[in-house]
Amino acid sequence: MPRKIHIIGPVGSGKTTLARKLSAKLSIPFSELDNVAWKRQVSGDIRRPEVEREACLYEIIQSNCWIVEGVHNEDWVFPSFNHAELIIFLNTNYNVRKYRIIKRFFLQKLRLEKSNYTPTVDIFIKMFKWNKYFEEITKPDFLSKKLYKEKVMMIEKRSELQKLLNEVL
């Protein structure tokens, strides 16, 4: 199994869940790109300056093993794609993702699930917008580039995901 893994997918696709499972099974630390892009503070998140964000990502990908997950496909993330030995693209069904966004929101509001952000109605609505943006813009852009074609594993079904996890055991 590769020791440098980048997981990309839209909101609600299962990126963080997969990253946690692979991290535990492979004993590899994982990082969420949202926590690289944002400084998490009690008073509210602050976008990291570009230089700081890139330095933070660089520190992660210079280690011997890592798992990075996120929705991001911007230029600042390319070093992670370049250094990754495996890129897992989670192409989860659109309606499944919408259901997960709704479920996550209520679990977070009830404090049954932790989050890195305050689960507000505004963020809830934005998640649907980000999900649609990923589907219409980010996904076609990433797939059209074919830069990393030889190391991309597309996962669309739960059975494919389970097969990956079984191979890791």
Side-chain angles (χ1 to χ4, degrees):
M1 189 70 187
R3 307 293 290 169
K4 296 178 181 182
I5 303 168
H6 187 119
I7 303 169
I8 183 171
V11 176
S13 62
K15 299 177 304 294
T16 306
T17 300
L18 177 59
R20 283 188 180 124
K21 287 180 180 181
L22 288 175
S23 175
K25 291 183 179 199
L26 299 171
S27 298
I28 297 175
F30 86 93
S31 301
E32 297 175 48
L33 286 176
D34 281 348
N35 293 336
V36 173
W38 297 90
K39 288 182 186 179
R40 303 296 189 178
Q41 298 182 346
V42 176
S43 59
D45 296 344
I46 299 172
R47 187 177 298 276
R48 288 184 196 273
E50 192 174 310
V51 172
E52 186 179 326
R53 179 188 65 200
E54 290 172 5
C56 187
L57 180 61
Y58 183 79
E59 184 177 329
I60 293 167
I61 65 173
Q62 289 308 304
S63 61
N64 292 329
C65 56
W66 46 265
I67 298 170
V68 169
E69 65 87 358
V71 66
H72 303 278
N73 185 40
E74 299 86 19
D75 290 349
W76 69 271
V77 183
F78 285 5
S80 176
F81 290 127
N82 289 333
H83 286 81
E85 297 167 0
L86 173 64
I87 299 169
I88 301 172
F89 190 105
L90 294 180
N91 195 24
T92 310
N93 178 280
Y94 191 71
N95 289 324
V96 169
R97 296 186 327 244
K98 289 193 305 188
Y99 167 77
R100 288 177 179 172
I101 291 169
I102 295 166
K103 179 181 171 186
R104 175 190 296 165
F105 177 73
F106 285 105
L107 289 174
Q108 290 173 346
K109 289 302 273 183
L110 294 170
R111 295 194 173 132
L112 298 173
E113 182 178 303
K114 293 178 104 178
S115 67
N116 294 324
Y117 53 86
T118 303
T120 63
V121 172
D122 184 49
I123 291 286
F124 179 63
I125 292 167
K126 284 181 180 177
M127 286 191 179
F128 289 101
K129 290 177 183 176
W130 295 330
N131 197 19
K132 186 174 182 178
Y133 183 86
F134 188 93
E135 192 68 25
E136 295 176 356
I137 307 295
T138 305
K139 180 168 102 175
D141 179 60
F142 180 84
L143 296 176
S144 71
K145 289 178 184 169
K146 299 180 182 180
L147 294 173
Y148 315 104
K149 182 170 82 169
E150 72 284 348
K151 55 184 174 180
V152 172
M153 175 186 286
M154 178 77 72
I155 298 200
E156 297 181 341
K157 299 176 185 170
R158 186 175 288 227
S159 60
E160 296 167 336
L161 185 59
Q162 194 56 52
K163 181 181 177 191
L164 170 68
L165 291 170
N166 289 340
E167 289 173 1
V168 171
L169 291 174

